[in-house]
DNA sequence: GGCCGACTGTTGTGGTCGACAACAATCATT
DNA sequence: AATGATTGTTGTCGACCACAACAGTCGGCC
């Protein structure tokens, strides 16, 4: 056995039919009870789709989360950090670091709100707006990859079904 | 300003139209460019579905990943750790810890393979099989929650669309 | 006006998770 | 017998999320 795992004593008994090569346990675990579970399928799909997004936007070094933050700010300039966090379902603690990175890259500014000295008004910089336009082109290319994978009609059905989740 | 963030000097100038209460930036960031992205919708859905699964199976303290491991072993007894890892798309390094926990709870055993002394043949214990039957009942209840949320037909369409991802 | 609860951004901690690299034991092939 | 590949294991790194604490600020209420 490998390394040092605690191991039950082997019963070195009957070997059964030996074919010398293929082990049925290894070759393919195949479809099973998981097939009927939505959560599992969704998890695998989400993994694939994020990997493709990251790969497609690798040249500009933008993650799906960063893209969503930029998009939300662009669509409705000047939001509070709280507003963005609530909209995207991420914690405000996490958004702090996300914005730190985006601010360092000069894509986003935290301006003092004119009406509430606690909060920051978030805006895209000029560079941020220009960059976002490029990001959107790449995101559209990613979306085309999705279509190649599941088909155009399936993609639209997916968007309909998942609409209640924003 | 809050805490110690570097902040531009406030221009304490014109206030503009003050209505005293609602800040347009706060009230609702609303639907925007994210609406057309599959990945975002899927992420939100996956978050919801996992939360519900965890909550529904909280009484037996089983996560979605643990459930998938048990299900795979039960459907095809005696697989290698590598086989399970490949089937579920998780790293074998991670599976080690997962199995450690399941073995400590006496749900799974790592038996020495009869044909390859490097590998372990994974099996459910008697308690493991009994427990899994209960887990499946709760998982079915979770699946009913999904139906309540998106509808029975939508759920089945979802399974069809996502079938290529196993 | 002054007090008190609620909110905002921030920091820190802990836990889960995935990618990666190393390693010993074992296998397969030559 | 020797070499390279595979299996399980350990460890590290970074991303991510949940939670709690905190200072500054707002809002309302007496």
């Amino acid at each position: 056995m490998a390394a040092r795992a605690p191991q039950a004593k082997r019963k070195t008994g009957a070997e059964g039919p030996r074919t010398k090569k293929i082990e049925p346990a290894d070759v393919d675990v195949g479809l099973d009870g998981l097939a009927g579970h939505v959560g599992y399928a969704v998890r695998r799909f989400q993994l694939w789709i994020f990997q493709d997004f990251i790969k497609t936007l690798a040249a500009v070094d933008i993650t799906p989360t960063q893209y969503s933050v930029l998009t939300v700010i662009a669509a409705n300039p000047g939001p509070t950090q709280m507003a963005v966090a609530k909209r995207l379902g991420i914690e405000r603690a996490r958004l702090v670091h996300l914005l730190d990175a985006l601010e360092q890259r000069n894509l986003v500014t935290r301006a003092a709100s004119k009406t509430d000295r606690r909060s920051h008004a978030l805006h895209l910089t000029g560079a941020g707006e220009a960059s976002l336009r490029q990001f959107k082109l790449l995101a559209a290319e990613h979306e085309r990859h999705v279509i190649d994978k599941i088909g155009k009609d399936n993609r639209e059905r997916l968007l309909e079904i998942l609409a209640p989740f924003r």
Side-chain angles (χ1 to χ4, degrees), chain A residues 13 19 55 126 153:
Chain A
T19 56
K55 200 194 316 173
D153 44 351

Side-chain angles (χ1 to χ4, degrees), chain A residues 5 23 34 36 47 52 62 74 89 94 102 114-115 137 149-150:
Chain A
E23 308 299 335
L34 268 340
L47 238 57
D52 184 85
I62 288 289
R94 166 136 183 65
L102 294 175
K114 296 191 179 107
T115 57
L137 293 179
K149 189 76 175 182
I150 67 176

Side-chain angles (χ1 to χ4, degrees), chain A residues 15 27-28 40 62 64-65 74-75 79 82 97 100 115 118 135-136 147 163:
Chain A
E15 285 283 303
V27 65
D28 174 30
Y40 180 71
I62 288 289
T65 309
M82 269 301 297
H97 301 296
D100 284 349
T115 57
R118 291 172 301 180
F135 301 162
K136 284 189 174 177
I147 292 178

Side-chain angles (χ1 to χ4, degrees), chain A residues 5-19:
Chain A
Q7 194 106 10
K9 286 279 161 274
R10 299 218 270 119
K11 2 187 173 87
T12 41
E15 285 283 303
R18 288 292 316 278
T19 56

Side-chain angles (χ1 to χ4, degrees), chain A residues 141-158:
Chain A
E141 185 184 331
H142 155 70
E143 218 65 35
R144 277 192 295 274
H145 296 168
V146 175
I147 292 178
D148 291 345
K149 189 76 175 182
I150 67 176
K152 184 175 181 180
D153 44 351
N154 276 340
R155 175 179 170 276
E156 284 169 13
R157 246 178 291 174
L158 215 51

